Structure formats: C-alpha cells, structure tokens
Amino acid sequence: MTDQDKYVHLKDIYVDFIEERPSADLELIFKDDANVDHKSNKFKEGITTHWNIDIYVRTQTGATLTIQESLLGQSFAEISVKFKPDEFGDDKTVSLEDTNRRVTVNLVCGASKPSADVTRVLGSLACTAFASKVNMLDGLDKILGFLKLPQLATEVAQLDPIALVAVSVVEQAIVNFQEISSCHQELVILMDDLVSMLPIMLSALETVEVAECRAFVRSFIEEFVKETSEQLNEYASQPTWTFILENWYNSKRGEVDELREKSTRLNQDVDLAIDVDIKELPLLKDRDQELKRVKPPAGSSFDPDPKYCCMPGTRADLIETLTSFAVSEDSSQRLFFLSGIAGCGKSSVATSVANSLHLRGCLSGSFFFKRDKELRNPANLLHTIAYSIALRHEPYRKALLDVLNTMTYMPIEDQLPLTQFNALFLRPLNMIRNKSSITASHSPSNQAIIAIVVDALNECDDPLSVSTYLAKIVRLAPWLRVIVTSRPLDNVKPDLRKAEYAAHLDLFTVDASEEILKLAQSHFALPGPLHRLHSQVTEAEIQALANKSLGLFIWIKTALSYVASLAPDAAKLKELKSILSSSTTTSPEKGVDELYLRILRSVAGNSLDYRDAVKNFVGSVYVTSRNRSLAYKGLHAFIPTSDPDIPVTPEDVDDLRSKLAAVITVDPETEALRVCHPSFLDFVETQTSSQEFWTKPEALDTMMARRCFDIMKASLKFNICGLESSRQRHDEIPDLKQRIPRELQYSAVYWLDHLLRSGGSHDAKLQGAYEFLYHERLFYWLEVLSVISEVNAATKTLQNLMTAASSKRSSSGFYGDFQSILDCVLLLREPMSVSVPHIYISSVIWGEPSVAIKLLPFGLRPIRFGIRLADALKFGWGVLSVAYSPDGRRIVTGSMDCTIQIWDSRLGIPLTKHLEGHMGTVTSVVFSPDGTHFISGSEDGTIRIWDSQTGVPIREPLKGHTGPLASVAYSPDGAYIISGSTDTTVRIWNPQTGAPVGEPLLGPTDPITSVAYSPDGTRIICGSEDTRVWMWESLTGELVGKPFEGHKDPVLSVTFSPDGKNIVSGSKDNTLRIWDPQTGSLTCEPLRGHTNWVMSVAYSLDGKFIVSGSMDGTLWLWDPQTGKPIRGPRYSHSPPITSVTFSSDGRYIISGSFADTVDLWDSQTGKLEGKFLRDHTRRITALAYSRDGKHIISGSHDKTIWRWDAKTGLPVGQPLRGHRDDIQSMAYSPDDAYIISASLDKTLQIWDSQTGAPIGEPLKGHKYAVSSVAYSPDGTQIASGSQDSTVLIWDAKTCALIKGPLRGHTGPVSSVAYSSDGALVSGSSDCTIIIWDPKTGSATQEPLKGHTEPITAIACSPIRSHVVSGSYDKTIWVWDLQTGKPIYGPLKGHTFGIMALAYTPDGNHIISAEGDMIRIWDSQTGALIGTPLKGPKSAMQTIAFSPDGKHIASVAMDDGIRVGDTQTGILINEHPKNLSNFIQSLADSQDIESFWDPHQKGFMSRAKVTYPRRGANNNPDQDVKETHWSHPLTVPSDGWLRTVDGGLPTHVPDEYRGRICDLTAMCIPYDKWSRPIRFDWNGVYNAWDEIRKVM
C-alpha cells in the first residue's frame, strides 16, 4: 500500500493559547486540499478548546486550521498542516504553532487506514440502515471491503480512461462526504443508493470472469457513479448546499427511485445466480433501460465503411456545407432537404456527412431507410429521433418518459403513427416549451445542437406523413438539425421544400462529372480492380465511360463493378468495349435499367434453364427484401425450381450471387443478400425494365406464402430446441437461436405478410391462417418466435389478422377466433420472451380454459384455478351507464366525473386509463355490434366514438344537439347511431363520417331519456319525460302511430326484446311496462315491485328475462311472458342503481351505481357477486383505532384515508382525499370527533371523523415529509414529527402553530407520542429519544441514548410514566420519562428491525412486531411472554389495540388490515384460528430471508422450502429434494418466482401478481377485488417434466 493510498485518522484537535485568549466566542475551521470546510461548534470563554473532529485525511495532502471569532469571523490564528506519513503516524500526537506564536495546536491521530477501509467507515455512516436490513450478501464489511478504489482503478483502466477518471471522482465524493458536518437526510439516502450498487459488482466479479462484467462495470461507473458522485462533490463543496441540494435531489428523485429498484432487483438476480454457469448475467442490461421502448432497430444507423462513403476528394464542398449546417447555432435553418433522382449519390453524401459528424462527436443519431420491413417503418424513424434527442437533452428525456409512463395500456410501438408522433414529440416538446426549461444550463453538449441524418426517405412506407412530422419537429425544437435525403417524390418534396426553417438542394443539379471521372480513373489505377487494363484503355475511353453515366454515380459504380467481376482480363476488356460501343440513352434512369438488364442477360447466357434460375433468384431477393433480407443459407429454401425433386442448394445460391456481385452484395455481419442499390429492386419490380426476368409480385408472394407454410408444417414440433429444464433463461443457453434454421426463422415471422399480398380470395387467405393457427402448432410457432426473440411478431400477426377479418372484404367470421388466440398470446407474452417451456407452463396454469382446451397440444389441459369475476370496480364518481362488449370480454362505464373506463370483465382490471374528453357527465355508453368501437353520450351535448381496444377517440365529437344527451344507441348493423337529448329531439348519425343523417326526429314535448333501435333496424323508439314512449320509421323518420301512453311519470328507460315483438319501459312511477309495438297496447299488467324510480331495464339475449335496476337500490328479474317477478328484490351494497345490462352469454348482470361502483350479479341465482368497494389501491402505511373502538382508519400510499366499521369490516362513507402524497401517520382526537393525518406532502390535515370533511386548510410548517402525528391527552394540542428533524406543536382548535420548531434531533423524527401526563416524546433516526415540555417547547433533559441504529417506533404507557422504543438494531428499551434513565433494556429476541410497538390498553404488556413475528413482553419486568407469534406472511408495519383491549388490528405489506380477538384468539367474523396462528404459519424447516422490495418500499421476507422432485424414469427411489423460494408475499416486479439457485419455476401474469396471498385471516374489506389465488406449488415446480412426459 503506497502512502497515497493511506488516510490519516484525525481524531481530536486541542488548542492551547500562548497569548491571552480573546474574550469572544471562538470556532475552528479545518479546510482540506479540496477546499472543503469542516467547522466546529462554538467555544465560549473559559471552556477548553477541544474539537472531536473525527475525520480522515489523505496523506501527502495539506490543510489549513483557522481559529476565528465566531460572530465576526475575524481570524485569530492560522496554521498550515502537511500530513506526512512519517509524522502523522498511528496513535501519534503532533504539536504545531502558528507563525505569530499565538497558539499551540495538538493534533491527535488514530490508526491510519487504506482507502478501502476509509470507505468502509465513511460508507457505514450513510448506509447503516441499509446494511442492517439487507441480507443479500454477508454484510456491509463485505460490501465496502470490495471498494478498493486503487485496485478498481487498475481494473477499469483497461476498459476506458473515462472509467479511471470516474473512479477518482467517486473516491473524492466519498471523502468529501465526511466533511459535511450535518448532512441532509436526502443526501444520506442518495449516498445509500450509491453504496448499495456495490454488492452487485462484488457478486458479479465473484461469479464470473472480470471480462464478462466489463460492460456492466463500465455502465455502472460512467453513467451512475460518475454522474452521482460529481453532483455530490459539487454540492458538498458549496456553502448554500442545503437549498441547492434540495432542489437538485427533488429533480432527480424519480431516477434515484428507479436506481434503487434496479439495485435491489440486480442484487437478487446475482444472489440467485451464484453457482450457476452464467454466460450472460441479467445484470448486463442496456445502458438506457428506461428508453428501451423507443430504441432504434438494429441496422438502422449509417455504416461508416468507406465503400458507402463518397470517394476521398469528391463532394468535399457539399459535405462541409452539410456538416457546418448540422452544428450551426443559427436556428433560422433547422432542416436540410437533399433530393435527387435515384443513383446520383445521395446516400453516399449522407453517409459521409454522418461519418464526419460522428468523428467530431457531433452526431446524435441517424436513420437510413431500406426496403426491409423494419427499416421502412416510419415509426422507427420517430423512435430513432426521440431516442437520439433523449440521450443528449435531459429536459426532453424527462418529459418523454413522463408521457410514456402514462401510456401503460398499450406499448408505444403498437400505437397509430400519429399517436406515436404526439407522444414522442408534440407533447414532450410542448411540455419543455411551456416550462421554459430549454436554457443554456440544460443544453446538451456540442453547443446545444442535436444533429440527426435521415437517408432515403422515399423508401419509407409513408413519406408524406413523415415529411409533415419532420417539419413540425424542427419547428418545435430550435436546437435540432435534421439532414434528409430522398428522391424527389411528389408526396415528399412539398412538405420539406416549403417547410419553415428548411433549406433544399437538388443534388442532381450539382455537376458531378469531375467526381464521376475521378471514380472511373481510380478503378483503372493502382490499386483499383481494373488496373491491369490501364495500358489497354485510353483516357478518352475512360472519359467516354464516365459520360455514359449521365451524372449518376450508381451507373458508373455498377458498370465498373460488373466489368471487374469478370474473368479473365480479356473478358473484362471485351465487356468494357461493348459497353462503350452501346448506344447511350437520354434518360439517366433508363440508362441504369438498361445496364441492369445487360448484366442479367450476360449472367444467364443462352440457357433457358439458367435464365429461369436467375429470374427466380432475383425475384426471391426482391420479395424477401420487402420484409428482411435473407442469407443464402436460408434463401435457398424459397427459390422454386423446374424440377421439384432437385431443390436449390445454398451453394447454388452463392454461385449466382457471386456472378451478380455488381448488383447483389453480402452483408458481412449477417450474411444477408442485399441489393447494392435500391434502384435494382425498382428494376426487378417493373416489367418494362426487367422484361424476361420479371415475375408478378403477387405471384412471388403466393410462392413465398406456400413455402412458409410448407417449411413450418414440416419443421415445427414440440420442444424444438430439446430443452430439458424450464428453469433457464434463453440468454443462459449458448447458441440457442442457431438451433432454428434460418428459413424457419423467416417463415415464422413473415408468413402473414406474404399471405396477405398473395393471390386468391380474401376469405381463403383467412381460412388458411385459421387452419394454421387454430391447432397445437400455434404453440410450436410461438416456441420459434420465443427462441429468436420475435415475440412481438406474434401479437402483430394476430392484430393484422383481426384487422383483415373485420374488413368489408371479409365474411369469414374468424375475428373472434383470432381475438381468442391473441388473448392467449398476450397472456404468454412475458414468459415466452424469457423461456420457451413457460409457453406451456403458463398456458396450463393461467390460460382461459375454453380457449386453451382448443389450442393446447393433445394431452395438455388447463389446470387454471378458478378465478371469479371481479367483485367491484372503483370509479371516481357515480357510474351512470355500463355496457358489455359483444364478446363479453370488456365492460365500458361512463361516470359523473366526465370520464370513461374500459375494464377486463373477467379480471376486473382496467385496460386503459380514464378516458377523458367529455366536459360533462357521461350519461350513456354503447358498444358497436362488432365490438370494435363504442360510443358515449354526455351532458356536454356531444357524442364521442372510441376504439374499444385502445380507448383512442376515432374522430372529433359529434355535435348537433342543443341540450345534454341522455342516451345513445347503435343500429343493429352498426351503420348508424341515434341519440336522444333534453332538447326533445332524436338524431341519427353516420359513424363513418360523423355527419347527421336527415333532420332531427320530432314529437316528444319534454326531454328524451332513452333511445333504442329495433333488432331489424327498421324502428327507433325513445322514452321521454312526457311519460310516453315514441316510435319512428328509421329510414323515413316518420312517426309510427301514436305514442304509447300508460306511465304516470317520466319514462327513464326503453328497449326492444331480442325478437322485436315487445318493448319494455321503466319509469319514475316505479313500474315497468311491456308493450306490443304493433298495437301500442300493454301485453300484461304493469310490473310492480320497485319502491323508487326504475332507472334502467334490459332484456337477456335469449329474451327469457327482463332485468330492472332502481333508485331504491334493488335489482329485479322478471318473466316477460307473464310480467311476474322471477327473483327480487336483490339489494345492492351501493344504491341507487343507475344502469343494468346482461353479459353476452347471459350469465352475469352488471349494474352501475351513484356510489362509484359496478356490481356483478349471477343471473341464474340472483346472487350479488360483489359486496364491497375496492379499497386502497396502494400500500397501507398507517392504522388507528377510534377511542370508542367502533372504527378503524387506514392511510395509504394512494394518498387516501378510509374509515372502516371495526365489527363488520365494511367501509364507512367515502375515502378522505386531500393530501398530495403518501399518508404516513394518523390519530383520532380523544373525543373521536376529529382525525389528524400526516403526509409526505409536508402537511397535516384535520378531518371531521363523522362526515370525512376536511377541517380548515392543511397545517403547513415542516420543510420535509411529516412522519408522525399525535393528539395530546386533553385534545388541545397536536404534535408532529418530520424528516426535517424537528417537532412542531399545534393548537388543535385553531390549527395555529404554538411551539416550534423544536430542535434537538440530528436526524429525521420517526415517531412522536404524548404520555398520559402530557409529556411529549419523540424518537429519531439519530438513535435518540427526546422528552419535551409542551408548554415551553424545551427538552426536559439530555437525549436518551441506548439504541445503535435508527428508532422506528415509540409508545407511551397508559398507566405509568414510561415510554418504550424500538429500533432497527432489533432491540427494545423502556425508559422512565421523569429521570430519562432506562428501566430495562435492551430487550433482545427479534431477528430483524422493530417495525411496530404498542402497549395493551391496561398497560401490562408491550406488543412488538418485526417482519411476520409478534412478540409479547411483560411491561414491568421486560420478560418475553410465551413464544413468538407468527403473523402475516407479509411484514407488519403497524399494530393497534382497541380501547377495551379486546381486539388487535395490524397492517401488513400485503395491504390487509387484520382484526383479531385477543381473549379468544378468534379472527373477527371469519376463519376462527388461535392467535398464535393469527396468519398462516410457515413450515418449521423454512429459512427466512429479509429483502428490500422497491415497489412496496418496505422490507419483505421470503422463505426457502424443500420439495421432492421425481427422479429419472419416474422412479420414486431416485427422487431428489430441491430447495425453492416459497411463494412470496409480493410477486417480484418481473413476475418470475425463482428457486434458490435462480431457476424459473413459473411466471405470474401482471393481473394476478397482487393476488397470491394468505386466505386464513380476515382482510378489510374481506371480499377484496383482488381475490387471492392458491398454487399447488409442487405441481408447478415439476410442470415441465410432466408436460414433456405427456408430449
């Protein structure tokens, strides 16, 4: 260890005064060589000047010690210190004097340490809490022992000099950390995150070779550690760091949270991967994971190979002009459009410019369009530009991610191009502009200019739209420079030539004759390919050859390349002379075509068979290039031959390719056959150009589709790669992709593209697709896509099939079948992207039985455990309208909050965000007959049409009514929409155009309430507030007869029976009436039973039932033949009922309510399937009992507070809303009249406990999150503790701040409590407890010290002047509030940090909770009573007793509130169990591990369980035991349940991840929407073995 690697431990500084000491207060300032100040406390006169500085200083560095007056800052003495290792040795004291001999300073040293040990000490200060809770590695010593920075620097220096610099920055940041005397808590957390990344590197380096971790090390250091450390170093050195750091940290909070999550996930992955042969760790993630959704496709950027650039010395001026444009700060020109005919050199110029910018470090991105399917997709260009900007522009990146994070219902790549443009550019750029955040300080490098090169825009699928997008982008981004090349197409040029901020140049108008001549001359000169002909070809002939190009580089390149490919030299010379003697056309493009034809004819010769071979070869190259160019070892399988018994071999293809090297080249990386220039593809496609070598494109696609099917049917099979284990990821299996032949890879991805472009009838194509997919080979097809990482191809294929099946050309009826298959594929999308076997495992566990039975290979059957429909769905305000989709898979709801929600009818989960657009209550929603759209009517007077899959509005709102809309409906064929309004009219609309059809239907004199079509579409009816039912001819708009009269009050709902023979109506007169539409008379007596308005009526699809919902909160089922009730009344838990409808299969009825819910009923039994509102949507964080024991309140990360009936578990009223961030703490006032809540939003709020209304404005005073709150015993005061390390005391009546801030803690205050005699107690993460006098606001004594780690909870005894404290140090102390002395402690026994504490109401016992363990202690003796009680599988966060002590409530991290009887051990209302079995016990053989869950933001536990696995040949004697992680309380974010060794036994779909939990305890609410699921774990772990046996 060198001296530079050592640090002096400077423990103490003593100052002795030679001269008389100044009378003023003094302070010491120690400034190190990094100019960071350490400042002591003040020293008053008469007090020994002794400073326990306790810092580490690098040897061989200097420092300055200043003694100055603290008030005026006047220096009294100054001493320079040089920390020489021989003087400042271990345990030495060094004496120094100042130059004026005023003072003598004694510097006391401890043991010197190497840099790694110093890091251990310093890192421990920031990471103690983290290290005590993370059991991933052996401990903090192992973590920090790894950080030997000099050694690490040596390792990373091999990677990159930047990395070496980064290490030094890290070292400096960590050293500077010690010099912040009172570090802000946010900085501690950030430092905690930095150090927490180190175990990942340690585990990786211990597991695999260093070389295999280089990419990760580089990413870690350059992008995370370097950036973070530089920020820390900068802010630690600034005197106003407190304010700056707060603003900086808040702006980075999202990134830090994500890094914390990534750190935890990688820690787990590495731990599970130990002892496994890892070739590619899950740690090796892409450096920009958060931007992966818009990452450009492979092969889209420019290729710097010189052969694609302009020849040196040519086009130099143009290249310099474009390069200068790309870096210019002149924002008047932001887009340069370089156009020109095919072959004039645009791509070469674009490549040269891109390469020039790249070499200067100024190129942000490039996209070169090609004929490949992926590389001609306009969306991929948008992604490239977005990605390129995001890497260089921080404000844009943040705005982009904010937008993308709101689009969770559908991947961005699956959206319409316009939607993608809006999401990627319009919204983020407008957000930046609106925030005025594009400033010099935020600008990216290279003078804030971002340069992007786009080549061959004409090859794009939609050049017109892209032209428009580019013009808009540069208008919004003045710092963006885009260079675009394209042929001068009519649908490209106008938008770019005339665009604002655009410049244009036609490259063909630039004389290139000299450059073309130079190119020709270079071929005949050394080392050109034709240099041997130099003596036989004159300069005049070379000039003539150049002239024949007519200004096109592609002509001269192709001609010279073709001549050079011939052998021997005589043949070269002969062909050259022949070309020179041929006639010259006047059209440059025609000249290129003639040259191509000449080459093909020359290669084909006079043989008809060989001509056909050439024809088939170029046709195959052409047709595959529209999707993805294929290698010759793959393309051969698609080329037809005249003799089917003699197939084309790869060698045949390679031979043809070599002869056609002038026009077809080989990609050196992929071996794909590509055309040298896209003009050759145009030539092959055009019959007049390619003549005898032309094949009709449709015929080529027909041939390709047939060959794709043949190849797949012959090759697809179960377990095609022969995988024996389901536990491995794809990336852990070497050469897995190579096990799939290239022709099969291509066929699996592109068969539908060829099929849809092939000849034949539309329905015949769909029939072929159906027969291929609706078969067990579906899963074999998915296997191939899984292995080759083309999972998205499956979803896109099925989406395209659904589009084709729903088109007007189709009458096949396959839409529903393709939808079912798509649902199956979507379920498998995540697992199949990781592991092939899980295609089958997930199918049999999670697949929809009705679909899986049809699709799974024979012998496999779904074992999915029954999951009932969602019990209740939660909405913002009351639900006025509900509708089922025709296939029964979706429910759409319209609400009073002006929003619409689409739900999965089976799972009860939202499929989209709340759909916004209406400005008034949504009164009516209806699906189109084909289910592809739905419409909504609103009180804003408009109708909106929506895409039922995406929730995207189809067009602008339909406007015409002059009053609010009450009802909308589709015609049976979907061709028309009708709407009824309070303006007393009914209107007919064309949904395709949005235009009204004819004049409004008139008749009613009062507002319309309901409209409906007859089943045959010939009649329209409406109900009106004029008490009548009206009917019109739909075609003519004429009234049919007289209105139906009978109701005494307004008609609220009408509908036809499915056969059209009856009409049912519901009214405010509390009755239903059934009418004969032919006569207008009643078919039976009015249907009576409801006691309030009948809001909604509906027929079942078979016409056998009528359902009605009423304001009285009941639902009735009626016999339409007799008018008699079949079932009823059925009472909803959420009256009144506003809307009812049947599911498409008639099994369920859904009803909407003013009470924010949708209820689901069994139509056969009339049983209400849903009972309760959905409660908190995120983690419950706080819990409290009312003083009378009748209610429980819970607070959550979802920012709401819920009140519950402690006896029944039912919610009381609506949630309390008002806080803007997580709820941290709550308490009832002593008289139960009020509730006080504290939040991360830095405020407190008082609520009326009866009404839930907020009392006054929020209480503001804390600078940071409020972590704890308490009422004084007399209810006159409220105390709050905060992460700002202070305590405030408030007047509970006036909400005024009366005392504070009370200062004394040096860390965040975690808990506050009042004792029974009114003393105020606070606990803090600084490991101390302070007792305060609430009257004076001063501490009554010194802080109580005993704990060694942060205090997490305190509780005051109800009968004694005692306080109990719990800590992360796993101990409990009980203190005397009068003396401040410990009564007893530490009480040991917990294995993890204490999370919750409470006294029993009688004060005789203390209850403590950690993880899933509850311990009971004797409060007088401190003795542990009995054995620990096993609590919930998820760690408990808080516990509370009812005031009478009869019940105990707990909140665990599975979101459940559990209530138990403390006398009998019985869980209230449900599931009687002993208290010791309060929640399901873990097996005795299990090992428990604690780990941080980043999603739940808490510490979790999981268990190791041993299961038997059947041995070879199903022999029980060869059974082996395998250890696995038991089902965790929270499924990991990626859905994978892992074995101890990192294996993957099963994947849990996203919609089920919150539903694997314990069923033995009561939860509030008991019937949660997330109904739990149980597994047969042993069966799951052995599933792949069993599946392989069956297959």
Side-chain angles (χ1 to χ4, degrees), residues 584-882:
T584 301
T585 181
T586 58
S587 167
E589 293 98 331
K590 188 176 180 181
V592 172
D593 286 345
E594 290 176 350
L595 178 60
Y596 288 150
L597 186 59
R598 180 189 188 94
I599 294 172
L600 294 186
R601 286 174 174 171
S602 176
V603 171
N606 298 321
S607 170
L608 293 179
D609 288 342
Y610 207 74
R611 187 194 68 182
D612 289 342
V614 172
K615 173 183 176 181
N616 292 334
F617 173 63
V618 297
S620 297
V621 170
Y622 162 77
V623 74
T624 55
S625 70
R626 300 171 71 181
N627 295 320
R628 183 184 70 203
S629 297
L630 262 173
Y632 69 90
K633 291 182 180 178
L635 184 66
H636 74 281
F638 296 97
I639 300 177
T641 63
S642 57
D643 187 348
D645 295 329
I646 306 177
V648 176
T649 66
E651 292 72 22
D652 295 333
V653 176
D654 193 42
D655 178 67
L656 278 170
R657 194 277 315 162
S658 63
K659 293 177 179 178
L660 291 171
V663 291
I664 297 176
T665 185
V666 179
D667 189 303
E669 292 185 5
T670 65
E671 297 183 348
L673 299 184
R674 296 184 178 278
V675 295
C676 295
H677 194 272
S679 59
F680 183 71
L681 296 176
D682 299 331
F683 162 80
V684 175
E685 184 179 28
T686 307
Q687 183 177 11
T688 56
S689 299
S690 54
Q691 299 184 25
E692 68 267 26
F693 296 98
W694 179 78
T695 304
K696 188 176 182 181
E698 185 180 87
L700 289 171
D701 279 307
T702 302
M703 177 270 296
M704 288 294 296
R706 185 181 304 113
R707 290 297 298 134
C708 285
F709 279 131
D710 291 344
I711 290 169
M712 289 192 292
K713 290 177 181 179
S715 303
L716 292 176
K717 62 180 180 179
F718 172 74
N719 198 12
I720 190 171
C721 293
L723 302 178
E724 296 184 358
S725 172
S726 63
R727 317 289 173 81
Q728 288 182 288
R729 300 167 58 97
H730 288 162
D731 50 19
E732 297 172 341
I733 304 173
D735 305 323
L736 183 64
K737 185 175 181 180
Q738 283 66 41
R739 302 183 192 183
I740 308 296
R742 292 182 177 180
E743 59 269 25
L744 181 55
Q745 293 185 31
Y746 181 92
S747 299
V749 176
Y750 298 112
W751 61 268
L752 183 63
D753 294 276
H754 293 297
L755 180 65
L756 294 180
R757 294 195 297 256
S758 66
S761 71
H762 188 73
D763 283 348
K765 299 175 188 178
L766 296 180
Q767 178 71 34
Y770 171 82
E771 292 175 354
F772 172 73
L773 291 173
Y774 231 82
H775 185 276
E776 63 185 47
R777 73 170 64 91
L778 165 68
F779 290 85
Y780 308 155
W781 172 57
L782 295 179
E783 276 197 49
V784 172
L785 295 179
S786 173
V787 170
I788 65 176
S789 302
E790 288 282 3
V791 173
N792 287 340
T795 57
K796 291 179 180 178
T797 295
L798 289 160
Q799 288 168 347
N800 290 337
L801 281 170
M802 290 169 60
T803 300
S806 63
S807 70
K808 294 181 178 179
R809 293 191 295 160
S810 175
S811 59
S812 63
F814 290 132
Y815 181 89
D817 297 307
F818 294 141
Q819 173 72 64
S820 297
I821 300 174
L822 177 61
D823 290 344
C824 177
V825 170
L826 290 175
L827 179 76
L828 304 175
R829 187 172 183 172
E830 290 183 73
M832 70 185 282
S833 66
V834 174
S835 173
V836 163
H838 288 278
I839 297 173
Y840 300 95
I841 294 173
S842 291
S843 294
V844 298
I845 294 177
W846 305 106
E848 179 67 32
S850 61
V851 177
I853 287 175
K854 299 176 184 178
L855 300 179
L856 281 169
F858 180 77
L860 293 184
R861 289 294 178 262
I863 58 173
R864 179 186 178 199
F865 300 95
I867 299 172
R868 290 168 56 188
L869 286 167
D871 295 325
L873 313 176
K874 184 186 173 190
F875 307 84
W877 291 357
V879 178
L880 290 189
S881 183
V882 295

Side-chain angles (χ1 to χ4, degrees), residues 1181-1303:
T1181 54
L1183 182 73
Y1185 252 109
S1186 64
R1187 303 302 173 104
D1188 62 9
K1190 294 181 179 179
H1191 297 98
I1192 297 171
I1193 53 174
S1194 59
S1196 166
H1197 284 318
D1198 66 8
K1199 310 171 190 175
T1200 69
I1201 299 168
W1202 283 75
R1203 295 164 294 163
W1204 310 94
D1205 186 302
K1207 184 177 181 181
T1208 66
L1210 295 175
V1212 178
Q1214 296 298 306
L1216 281 55
R1217 303 180 187 274
H1219 283 295
R1220 294 178 289 106
D1221 212 330
D1222 302 359
I1223 308 298
Q1224 292 293 96
S1225 179
M1226 303 173 303
Y1228 270 97
S1229 62
D1231 60 1
D1232 283 339
Y1234 303 104
I1235 297 168
I1236 182 70
S1237 60
S1239 169
L1240 288 181
D1241 64 9
K1242 310 176 189 178
T1243 71
L1244 295 84
Q1245 179 65 62
I1246 302 175
W1247 312 82
D1248 186 303
S1249 65
Q1250 299 299 313
T1251 66
I1255 306 298
E1257 294 296 317
L1259 282 61
K1260 299 180 180 179
H1262 286 293
K1263 295 181 179 180
Y1264 299 109
V1266 186
S1267 52
S1268 184
V1269 66
Y1271 266 101
S1272 62
D1274 60 6
T1276 61
Q1277 294 180 356
I1278 296 169
S1280 59
S1282 166
Q1283 291 186 13
D1284 62 12
S1285 306
T1286 69
V1287 176
L1288 300 178
I1289 302 177
W1290 311 80
D1291 187 302
K1293 184 175 182 180
T1294 65
C1295 301
L1297 180 64
I1298 55 178
K1299 292 293 179 185
L1302 311 187
R1303 303 184 187 276

Side-chain angles (χ1 to χ4, degrees), residues 223 285-292 295 387 391:
E223 297 164 29
K285 302 294 184 182
D286 187 271
R287 68 183 293 268
D288 300 297
Q289 277 292 313
E290 55 187 2
L291 292 173
K292 64 182 179 181
K295 194 167 185 179
Y387 183 81
L391 290 181

